[in-house]
Amino acid sequence: MLELGNGFSFVVRQKRIHIEDDEFFVDLVFYNRILQCFVIIEIKTTKLTDQDIGQLQMYVNYYDRIEKVSHENPTIGILLCANKNDAVVKFTLPEGQKQIFASQYELYLPSEKQLLDEVNKELESFEEK
């Protein structure tokens, strides 16, 4: 949990939610006291699909509409996956949305060269905008 940053509190693992006659299980739910919002983390051990993003969006909507109280900020959803296609993420989520994030997780820390390459790629992307 320390890796997530300050203010995180663990709420529940495998949270069961019922939507009409269907049952779903949210992988991990945290609450961030600083941000004053729920943070939902879904973990996928395969390549990310548009269905995975849709599932996480449903969980975020559920928490925003059912669990969150009026003074809290919108729920954040984080999808960690073994592999992702940035174009799938881009076209699945609405433009400008700030609640859902998809990221590929690594089993090992990247090398110094990999980190520098990634930073340079991000800088180039930033300069193009």
Side-chain angles (χ1 to χ4, degrees), residues 96-122:
Q97 73 79 36
K98 304 268 190 239
Q99 285 181 269
I100 303 287
F101 302 92
S103 183
Q104 182 175 328
Y105 63 82
E106 302 289 337
L107 296 177
Y108 304 100
L109 288 174
S111 69
E112 183 178 350
K113 182 187 179 326
Q114 289 171 316
L115 283 172
L116 288 172
D117 289 346
E118 196 62 34
V119 168
N120 289 331
K121 185 172 106 179
E122 288 298 319

Side-chain angles (χ1 to χ4, degrees), residues 10-11 13 17 21-22 39 42 50-51 54 59-60 63 73-74 79 108 112 117-118 122 127 129:
F10 175 73
V11 176
R13 180 179 150 274
I17 60 174
D21 294 333
D22 294 326
V39 178
E42 278 293 298
D50 58 326
Q51 291 92 350
Y59 295 161
V60 166
Y63 264 80
N73 291 311
L79 203 154
Y108 304 100
E112 183 178 350
D117 289 346
E118 196 62 34
E122 288 298 319
E127 289 172 356
K129 294 178 181 179

Side-chain angles (χ1 to χ4, degrees), residues 57-74:
Q57 183 67 64
M58 180 182 67
Y59 295 161
V60 166
N61 292 343
Y62 176 88
Y63 264 80
D64 278 350
R65 297 172 191 172
I66 305 297
E67 301 288 337
K68 160 176 119 54
V69 293
S70 62
H71 71 275
E72 293 174 325
N73 291 311

